[in-house]
């Protein structure tokens, strides 16, 4: 019963941390648009937090540049368990058009484990909200997606 | 002798009930979470949003308590852990002295108003210590902001809460409450003090427009930046409980708390009515606090300090002067 309660709480209160790992800023603007009053992410308990220590879901954008690789790892390590990673955009998923560029490491999943991908260049705000809710649904089913 | 023993055991039972269930710890816990819900919901409705569901604060609390326990390498483990517990304990202790069910609380004595005021200062100190010992630059910066803003709101808050005591001539909350209900003119005389108390309480709770220590856009989360898991949950709970106790204190001192008491035959019934009146008044004060929060934006540190010293404190002195004149003219 206690386990069920904790699981319910985890699904009901995902606090997100937004991180730009070298994106062109297109996806970041769309993430902010997903948090506006019109879509109202707080309905699902989503809060945007500034500190990695408070966050449950790391929302990353962009291809990981070589500069950003260590920082991304460190921010990921600073988050307390259990933690989830959502990648927004084509570049974050695979490297996108920056694949093979000399300063670019590749997609986010080359550096840290990823739970959900939201494709698009950039994805629509409602697609981002939908991706997050699908992640929550997969947590509800149990196991990692 | 047997009979006397029975009476005593019932008294002990009632005291335990008061301490732990109603209006003690469990009730304060539930009411704080409800207050946070109300705060976020009304705030959301004023921005034309839907707002969080009813059990949102409880879900946040459970989730945070079940998270990994992280103590940063640079933090001092003992103080880092002790700070939220000290803050929460002080708030819960302060709540017990408020007259909730009847004009006397659990234990009423001369000077309990001052005890509650001092107990309400401790969470601020705990916040400062927690930020300072977390070993993070943002945390230390936030802690310094907490400490430096302390004087700008604490002086008007203390002084303004003493005006009804000055009019009445007693430091006992039970006396103030009964005096106010028999002399309704006090409400008009101390109205200015109530407004000042509301603004100063907003600063004490570090809410908009005085959320300078936490300023998300400047210093991430201020003193709480390194806090995670159950320590953060305790700090959030302490913040909500402080809001309840602060609003309750204003309701007691300026709005006569649980009075007017209706004397009903089984004494329990009149206690329930008293508690309901108290809750209605507290919710009214909380609603005013939320209105202030949703109407304004954050101001700078220097703006807050100059506002406090140029406006709040002189107005408080005017209020105290009025109180002294009323007293000099022979009371009301």
């Amino acid at each position: 019963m206690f386990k069920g309660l904790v699981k319910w709480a985890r699904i009901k209160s995902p606090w997100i941390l937004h991180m730009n790992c070298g994106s062109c800023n297109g996806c970041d603007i769309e993430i902010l648009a997903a948090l506006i009053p019109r879509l109202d992410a707080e309905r699902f308990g989503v809060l945007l937090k500034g500190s990695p220590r408070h966050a449950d879901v790391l929302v990353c954008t962009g291809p990981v540049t070589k500069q950003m690789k260590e920082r991304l790892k460190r921010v990921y390590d600073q988050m307390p368990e259990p933690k989830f990673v959502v990648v927004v955009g084509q570049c974050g998923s695979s490297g996108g058009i920056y694949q093979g560029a000399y300063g670019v490491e590749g997609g986010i999943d080359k550096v840290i484990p990823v739970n959900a991908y939201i494709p698009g260049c950039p994805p629509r705000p409602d697609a981002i909200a939908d991706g997050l809710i699908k992640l929550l649904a997969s947590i509800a089913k149990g196991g990692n997606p | 002798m047997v009979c006397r023993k029975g009476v005593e055991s019932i008294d002990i039972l009632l005291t335990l009930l008061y301490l732990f269930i109603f209006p003690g710890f469990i009730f304060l816990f539930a009411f704080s979470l409800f207050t946070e819900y109300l705060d976020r919901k009304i705030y959301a409705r004023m921005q034309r949003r839907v707002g969080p569901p009813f059990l949102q604060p409880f879900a946040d609390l459970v989730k945070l308590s079940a998270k990994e326990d992280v103590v940063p390498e640079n933090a001092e483990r003992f103080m880092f852990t002790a700070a939220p517990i000290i803050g929460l304990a002080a708030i819960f202790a302060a709540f017990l002295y408020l007259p909730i069910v009847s004009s006397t609380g659990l234990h009423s004595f001369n000077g309990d108003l001052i005890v509650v005021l001092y107990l309400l200062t401790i969470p601020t100190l705990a916040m400062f210590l927690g930020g300072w010992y977390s070993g993070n630059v943002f945390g230390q910066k936030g802690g310094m902001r907490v400490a430096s803003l302390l004087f700008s709101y604490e002086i008007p808050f203390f002084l303004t809460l003493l005006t009804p005591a000055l009019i009445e001539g007693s430091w006992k909350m039970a006396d103030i409450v009964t005096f106010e209900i028999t002399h309704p003119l006090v409400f008009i005389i101390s109205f200015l003090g109530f407004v000042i108390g509301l603004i100063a309480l907003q600063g004490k709770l570090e809410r908009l427009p005085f959320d300078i220590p936490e300023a998300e856009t400047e210093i991430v989360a201020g003193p709480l930046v390194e806090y995670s898991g159950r320590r953060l949950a305790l700090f959030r709970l302490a913040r909500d409980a402080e809001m309840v106790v602060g609003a309750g204190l204003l309701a007691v001192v300026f709005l006569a708390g649980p009075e007017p008491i209706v004397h009903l035959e089984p004494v329990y019934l009149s206690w329930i009515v008293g508690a309901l009146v108290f809750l209605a008044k507290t919710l009214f004060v909380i609603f005013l606090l939320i209105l202030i929060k949703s109407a304004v934006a954050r101001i700078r540190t220097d703006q807050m300090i100059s506002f406090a010293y140029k406006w709040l404190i002189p107005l408080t002195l005017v209020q105290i002067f009025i109180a002294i004149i009323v007293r000099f003219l022979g009371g009301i």
Side-chain angles (χ1 to χ4, degrees), chain A residues 79-138:
Chain A
M79 287 168 64
E81 292 280 356
K83 50 194 168 187
F84 307 95
V85 179
V86 174
V87 171
V88 175
Q90 210 70 264
C91 310
S93 308
S94 62
I97 56 166
Y98 300 103
Q99 230 168 17
Y102 66 92
V104 168
E105 190 72 24
I108 305 277
D109 50 6
K110 290 241 168 89
V111 186
I112 54 173
V114 172
N115 297 91
Y117 300 91
I118 302 167
C121 186
R124 288 178 58 87
D126 38 2
I128 296 173
D130 186 49
L132 199 62
I133 286 157
K134 281 199 174 125
L135 171 78
L136 298 178
S138 72

Side-chain angles (χ1 to χ4, degrees), chain B residues 80-206:
Chain B
F80 190 70
T81 313
I85 299 173
I86 293 171
L88 194 63
I91 293 283
F92 274 57
F95 187 67
L96 290 178
Y97 287 108
L98 290 183
I100 293 162
V101 291
S102 59
S103 57
T104 57
L106 180 66
H107 176 54
S108 181
F109 56 91
N110 200 6
D112 52 2
L113 177 59
I114 298 176
V115 171
V116 171
L117 279 177
Y118 273 85
L119 281 174
L120 277 183
T121 312
I122 292 177
T124 314
L125 200 67
M127 198 77 158
F128 163 67
L129 286 176
W132 186 257
Y133 284 108
S134 65
N136 184 307
V137 183
F138 289 122
Q140 288 172 350
K141 180 88 190 155
M144 285 317 294
R145 285 188 180 192
V146 170
S148 59
L149 292 182
L150 181 69
F151 293 101
S152 59
Y153 57 77
E154 207 71 1
I155 297 171
F157 191 69
F158 269 49
L159 286 178
T160 195
L161 278 171
L162 299 184
T163 44
L166 275 175
I167 297 172
E168 204 276 326
S170 162
W171 300 116
K172 201 170 172 181
M173 277 191 280
D175 289 352
I176 294 170
V177 165
T178 40
F179 181 80
E180 273 180 357
I181 210 66
T182 44
H183 302 77
L185 207 60
V186 183
F187 295 123
I188 299 162
I189 294 172
S190 61
F191 180 73
L192 180 63
F194 177 62
V195 175
I196 295 166
L198 214 57
I199 297 172
L201 181 62
Q202 195 78 341
K204 204 176 173 58
L205 298 169
E206 284 152 20

Side-chain angles (χ1 to χ4, degrees), chain B residues 209-224:
Chain B
F210 306 122
D211 68 335
I212 298 159
E214 272 191 53
E216 249 189 34
T217 40
E218 296 164 32
I219 48 171
V220 191
L224 300 180

Side-chain angles (χ1 to χ4, degrees), chain A residues 34-54:
Chain A
L35 298 170
I36 54 167
R38 192 183 173 93
L39 290 177
D40 188 24
E42 206 182 357
R43 279 181 298 160
F44 309 109
V46 175
L47 286 183
L48 183 64
K49 287 284 169 184
S51 163
R53 298 268 189 221
H54 300 182

